[in-house]
């Protein structure tokens, strides 16, 4: 028995609004997109053929790809959408017709993305976020609107009052940027920030992807790596070096590649970055070199900001800023990066921009209350436990599995490393309440400072493990409808946890917990 | 502050017992199938499992019963759950999205039900376990009326 509570959906739909289609130019894009998916099997086929093997998987992929292209064509004919004064409706599906209806006042974000191919044909993909926590339902996605129509739709949906209903079909859309609201620039990419690129490690991901691609090619093409002269020579060369030298050489190569790839990644993702505020009450993020991305966040959906400092970035005094908003879930597939408010940039600028976004610089600079010696001791105990267990495992492998003793000696390095980590984690811990903002900071590998509006806190979870209770500590978690959904203040002394929860949301706790 | 139904102790015991049976059954089957080897290792491992299971089955439900509390006032819902690791959860009625009541097969056996109150946050559901079925129905009715009186989209 589930009782849904909320305003009843009367679904008074304006049947007058015309149904619109995607841009016909999408017919040209889709086959290419599908072909791009086939690149790996095709390459594998070619490589395989050269090596005198026939990769059967490749042929299969090819067949499926042809089917995909056909479906791509169909998608154009089966997708249509319309915008009534109160709702957005999308019809799609060939055999299973689905009509998705979204009330317009539930729309929280509009994201316009165009990759290189879209841009060549002047197209864009519009994703309308409704902030549903339901993972199966990924909201309204319209892939293949003409850029002008996308821009118009964007404006129509978010800059209320709604634009006039004179948009007939996609082709008939007049690119009329009529009522563009006044815009204030909050931040703009400074080319000097690109030097933070190498410290983001995004290149490691690229290396991982390349490695995966390579191994797939090798597998599907049945290539014997040892037979390729170049690879053979390199392995041979490494084999002749002493082990530490070989490890250093490989590490150096990985570092150089990561630096290059990270820098390229930074430029590709954040070129032309602009953060602006529209008078209609929206924040607007525009970025990208090849794939451009336009994200609009309604300010009334903004619940706070996150200042994130990964260890490497922190070492060069850099930071990035993310938005905490309802309708923007963090790090989920295509939504990943939808909440970026500032790319890695100097920390001072990041704090300043974050302060401007929430309209109060205080929470980002306010001195934080540390969590005290018991929380600090817990950081060290936990680090020591983890390193201890790992060292014991290595010892077991050495004793039982016959691994060489140097493995054990080098594992001992974990102890001082763990202590350093614990020291830094303890130093990161802190929280504050600052005029309607709940501030929490923790983490070492990625140190994050969360700034959350106290009226966005929709509940408290207070968790105590057995060991926490013995130390008199509580992990206070503020639950909210945006971002990570939960923002924690780890290991706060019991009394302080109650004080913070009471002060942030007055009148809630006192009914249940006395002093 | 309400305690849960005393029958919840039996419910938790039954639930844990099923888990232990699932864990121990394959080992018993192995013991029976493995006829030629020495029975000693099986006996030792079996004894250890049995002691662990017995301690868990005796201690856990009692401990839980002592910890578990719930309360729903005009403006908020509160629960206190767990045993080794404990958690207290509070949500204001004005932020509640759904009120959900469920009776699983084991719960029906003991005439119990649970009530889950969700908010707009994925991290915030409040689950009250081991309520007497009648209490659960009353709580759902109460909460639904109270929530219906609040306005806004509760985010």
């Amino acid at each position: 028995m589930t009782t849904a509570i909320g305003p009843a959906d009367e679904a008074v739909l304006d049947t007058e609004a015309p149904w619109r289609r995607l841009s016909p130019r999408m017919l040209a894009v889709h086959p290419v997109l599908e072909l791009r998916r086939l690149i790996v099997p095709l390459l594998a086929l070619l490589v395989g053929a050269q090596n005198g093997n026939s990769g059967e998987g490749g042929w299969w992929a090819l067949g499926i790809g042809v089917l995909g292209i056909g479906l791509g064509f169909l998608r154009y004919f089966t997708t249509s959408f319309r915008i009534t004064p109160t709702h957005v409706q999308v019809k799609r599906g060939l055999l299973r017709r689905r009509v998705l209806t979204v009330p317009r006042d539930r729309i929280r974000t509009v994201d316009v993305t165009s990759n290189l191919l879209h841009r060549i044909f002047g197209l864009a993909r519009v994703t309308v976020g409704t902030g549903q926590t339901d993972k199966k339902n990924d909201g309204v996605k319209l892939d293949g609107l003409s850029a002008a129509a996308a821009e118009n739709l964007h404006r129509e949906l978010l800059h209320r009052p709604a634009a006039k209903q004179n948009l007939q079909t996609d082709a008939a859309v007049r690119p009329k940027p009529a009522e563009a609201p006044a815009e204030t620039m909050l931040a703009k990419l400074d080319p000097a920030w690109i030097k933070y690129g190498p410290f983001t490690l995004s290149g490691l991901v690229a290396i991982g992807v390349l490695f995966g691609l390579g191994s797939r090619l090798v597998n599907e093409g049945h290539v014997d790596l040892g037979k390729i002269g170049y690879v053979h020579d390199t392995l041979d060369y490494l084999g002749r070096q002493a082990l530490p030298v070989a490890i250093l050489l490989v590490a150096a190569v990985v570092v150089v590649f990561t630096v290059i790839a990270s820098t390229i990644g930074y430029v590709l993702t954040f070129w032309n970055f602009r953060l602006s505020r529209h008078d209609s009450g929206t924040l607007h993020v525009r970025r990208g070199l090849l794939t451009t991305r336009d994200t609009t966040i309604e300010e009334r959906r903004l619940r706070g900001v996150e200042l994130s400092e990964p260890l490497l970035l922190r070492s060069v005094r850099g930071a990035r800023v993310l938005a905490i908003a309802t309708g923007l879930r963090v790090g989920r597939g295509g939504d990943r990066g939808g909440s970026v408010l500032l790319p890695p940039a100097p920390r001072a600028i990041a704090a300043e921009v974050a302060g401007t976004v929430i309209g109060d610089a205080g929470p980002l600079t306010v001195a934080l209350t540390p969590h005290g010696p018991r929380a600090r001791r817990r950081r060290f105990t936990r680090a020591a436990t983890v390193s201890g267990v790992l060292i014991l495992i290595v010892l077991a492998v050495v004793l039982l599995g016959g691994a060489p003793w140097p493995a054990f000696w080098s594992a001992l390095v974990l102890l001082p490393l763990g202590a350093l980590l614990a020291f830094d984690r303890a130093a990161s811990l802190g929280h504050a309440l600052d005029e309607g903002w709940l501030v929490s900071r923790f983490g070492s590998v990625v140190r994050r400072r969360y700034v959350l509006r106290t009226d966005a806190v929709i509940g408290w979870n207070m968790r105590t493990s057995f060991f926490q209770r013995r130390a008199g500590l509580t992990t206070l978690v503020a639950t909210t409808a945006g971002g990570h959904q939960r923002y924690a203040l780890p290991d706060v002394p019991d009394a302080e946890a109650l004080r913070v929860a009471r002060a942030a949301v007055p009148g809630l706790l006192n009914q249940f917990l006395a002093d | 502050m309400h305690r849960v139904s005393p029958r919840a102790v039996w419910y938790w015991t039954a639930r844990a017992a099923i888990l232990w049976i699932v864990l121990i059954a394959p080992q018993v089957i192995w013991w029976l199938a493995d006829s030629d080897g020495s029975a000693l290792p099986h006996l030792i491992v079996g004894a250890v499992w049995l002691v662990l299971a017995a301690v868990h089955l005796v201690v856990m439900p009692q401990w839980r019963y002592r910890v578990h509390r719930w309360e729903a006032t005009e403006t908020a819902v509160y629960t206190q759950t767990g045993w080794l690791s404990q958690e207290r959860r509070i949500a204001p009625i004005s932020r509640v999205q759904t009120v959900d009541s469920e009776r699983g097969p084991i719960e029906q056996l003991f005439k119990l039900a649970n009530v889950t109150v969700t908010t707009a946050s994925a991290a915030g559901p409040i689950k009250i376990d081991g309520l007497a079925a009648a209490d659960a129905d009353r709580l759902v009715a109460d909460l639904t009326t109270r929530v219906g009186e609040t306005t806004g989209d509760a985010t």
Side-chain angles (χ1 to χ4, degrees):
Chain A
M1 176 176 71
T2 300
T3 323
I5 292 144
D9 210 339
E10 291 111 60
V12 189
L13 293 177
D14 184 358
T15 41
E16 297 298 301
W19 288 94
R20 309 183 212 165
R21 281 199 183 285
L22 303 174
S23 167
R25 273 171 286 174
M26 196 200 125
L27 288 176
V29 175
H30 230 276
V32 186
L33 279 181
E34 291 293 338
L35 279 182
R36 200 176 55 175
R37 238 179 261 174
L38 290 175
I39 278 183
V40 172
L42 281 178
L43 276 179
L45 260 180
L46 279 176
V47 177
Q50 270 186 352
N51 282 271
N53 291 318
S54 59
E56 231 173 68
W59 289 114
W60 272 106
L62 202 65
I64 293 164
V66 171
L67 198 73
I69 293 174
L71 287 178
F73 279 133
L74 271 178
R75 184 156 9 140
Y76 168 74
F77 293 105
T78 55
T79 307
S80 53
F81 67 99
R82 68 174 178 180
I83 295 162
T84 74
T86 51
H87 290 78
V88 177
Q89 281 189 300
V90 181
K91 266 206 284 204
R92 60 160 65 105
L94 175 67
L95 297 176
R96 251 168 38 132
R97 297 289 285 167
R98 263 183 65 195
V99 183
L100 189 65
T101 308
V102 177
R104 283 181 62 177
D105 59 354
R106 288 291 159 89
I107 293 174
R108 282 142 202 221
T109 55
V110 176
D111 197 305
V112 182
T113 315
S114 353
N115 62 29
L116 195 56
L117 204 65
H118 279 117
R119 286 175 70 188
I120 290 172
F121 287 93
L123 296 171
R125 181 175 66 209
V126 178
T127 314
V128 175
T130 56
Q132 250 171 348
T133 33
D134 183 3
K135 281 183 187 149
K136 280 177 285 180
N137 209 334
D138 52 355
V140 178
K141 241 182 215 147
L142 294 166
D143 193 354
L145 286 169
S146 80
E151 184 59 32
N152 242 323
L153 186 67
H154 189 188
R155 187 161 297 136
E156 211 181 330
L157 287 178
L158 273 182
H159 299 158
R160 265 160 288 167
K164 292 159 211 97
Q165 296 287 309
N166 59 354
L167 308 151
Q168 297 300 323
T169 58
D170 187 44
V173 168
R174 286 165 291 274
K176 48 158 200 58
E179 64 270 46
E183 191 177 349
T184 335
M185 186 78 75
L186 300 183
K188 208 175 162 209
L189 183 84
D190 181 343
W193 297 352
I194 293 170
K195 66 169 185 277
Y196 290 106
F199 298 96
T200 58
L201 287 190
S202 58
L204 265 185
V205 181
I207 288 180
V209 170
L210 275 181
F211 193 79
L213 208 72
S215 65
R216 255 185 86 183
L217 273 180
V218 168
N219 270 334
E220 296 192 18
H222 304 291
V223 183
D224 187 358
L225 272 183
K227 280 187 193 154
I228 300 175
Y230 194 31
V231 179
H232 185 78
D233 290 351
T234 316
L235 286 178
D236 221 33
Y237 177 74
L238 281 180
R240 270 183 274 116
Q241 307 302 317
L243 186 68
V245 180
I247 291 175
L248 276 180
L249 276 175
V250 172
V253 169
V254 169
V255 166
V256 168
F257 268 108
T258 312
V259 165
I260 295 171
S262 303
T263 313
I264 294 174
Y266 190 99
V267 173
L268 285 179
T269 327
F270 297 117
W271 192 249
N272 261 340
F273 172 90
R274 284 196 302 124
L275 169 69
S276 57
R277 170 179 278 146
H278 286 247
D279 277 358
S280 55
T282 55
L283 289 171
H284 200 90
V285 178
R286 194 182 195 107
R287 60 191 171 87
L289 183 64
L290 298 178
T291 297
T292 59
R293 185 157 182 184
D294 252 297
T295 312
T296 307
I297 304 165
E298 264 195 298
E299 279 189 272
R300 66 190 182 100
R301 304 289 183 193
L302 197 70
R303 296 293 183 262
V305 287
E306 171 189 335
L307 191 77
S308 134
E309 304 169 85
L311 192 58
L312 270 181
L313 201 56
R314 185 143 53 99
S315 68
V316 290
R317 304 192 58 74
R320 53 199 184 113
V321 182
L322 303 165
I324 300 175
T326 60
L328 275 180
R329 279 175 67 95
V330 192
R332 261 211 313 142
D335 293 344
R336 193 187 290 276
S339 55
V340 174
L341 288 181
L342 193 74
R347 200 189 174 282
I349 294 180
E352 191 191 313
V353 169
T356 322
V357 165
I358 61 171
D360 187 353
L364 287 139
T365 46
V366 70
L368 301 178
T369 316
H371 292 188
R374 283 170 297 174
R376 165 180 295 267
R377 197 171 324 128
R378 238 172 94 74
R379 299 276 91 72
F380 281 98
T381 327
R382 287 169 77 171
T385 315
V386 171
S387 349
V389 168
L390 286 175
I391 289 171
L392 282 181
I393 289 175
V394 173
L395 183 65
V397 170
V398 169
L399 288 178
L400 304 171
W405 275 98
F408 174 70
W409 301 126
S410 46
L412 288 180
V413 176
L414 284 173
L415 279 176
L417 273 185
L420 276 179
L421 191 71
F423 180 77
D424 192 42
R425 277 165 63 80
S428 285
L429 272 186
H431 68 274
L433 265 178
D434 183 57
E435 293 173 36
W437 298 95
L438 176 66
V439 187
S440 169
R441 187 181 70 178
F442 60 91
S444 168
V445 178
V446 183
R447 176 191 278 186
R448 294 190 163 97
R449 185 188 188 111
Y450 297 115
V451 177
L452 188 68
R453 245 173 44 202
T454 49
D455 60 7
V457 175
I458 61 177
W460 295 107
N461 298 350
M462 284 177 282
R463 210 182 165 79
T464 54
S465 70
F466 181 71
F467 294 108
Q468 270 179 312
R469 276 201 301 284
R470 288 192 1 157
L473 298 169
T474 304
T475 294
L476 179 69
V477 178
T479 65
T480 185
H484 291 293
Q485 314 278 311
R486 60 196 304 287
Y487 290 95
L489 278 63
D491 285 342
V492 193
D494 289 341
E496 176 68 2
L498 291 180
R499 189 195 71 80
V500 170
R502 278 204 185 100
V505 186
L508 183 60
L509 236 65
N510 288 348
Q511 313 175 46
F512 309 110
L513 301 172
D515 285 293
Chain B
M1 201 80 66
H2 308 286
R3 284 200 167 193
V4 298
S5 163
R7 291 196 299 275
V9 173
W10 293 107
Y11 161 62
W12 288 318
T13 315
R15 208 175 54 175
I18 289 174
L19 185 81
W20 281 109
I21 289 170
V22 169
L23 277 175
I24 292 177
Q27 306 201 18
V28 174
I29 293 169
W30 183 16
W31 186 3
L32 295 179
D34 180 24
S35 49
D36 40 278
S38 157
L40 190 65
H42 286 296
L43 274 175
I44 294 171
V45 173
V48 170
W49 274 127
L50 276 182
V51 168
L52 276 180
V55 169
H56 183 240
L57 287 177
V58 170
V59 172
M60 184 274 286
Q62 290 296 336
W63 197 337
R64 268 192 191 281
Y65 184 67
R66 260 153 232 235
V67 171
H68 280 231
R69 296 275 194 289
W70 65 274
E71 178 74 273
T73 66
E74 290 299 314
T75 52
V77 190
Y78 171 90
T79 58
Q80 188 173 314
T81 57
W83 56 297
L84 269 177
S85 175
Q86 299 176 4
E87 188 163 43
R88 289 170 287 176
R89 291 190 168 200
I90 302 162
I93 295 278
S94 60
R95 309 294 191 141
V96 169
Q97 301 272 15
T98 66
V99 180
D100 199 355
S101 165
E102 196 185 37
R103 303 172 71 175
I106 315 175
E107 282 166 315
Q108 285 188 28
L109 205 64
F110 296 101
K111 297 194 176 55
L112 294 171
N114 65 60
V115 173
T116 308
V117 177
T118 64
T119 64
S121 167
I126 293 187
K127 190 170 180 189
I128 311 173
D129 233 358
L131 285 175
D135 287 347
D137 290 346
R138 207 173 316 124
L139 180 62
V140 169
D142 279 1
L143 284 176
T144 312
T145 351
R146 270 176 230 161
V147 172
E149 285 159 8
T150 62
T151 50
D153 74 345
T155 57

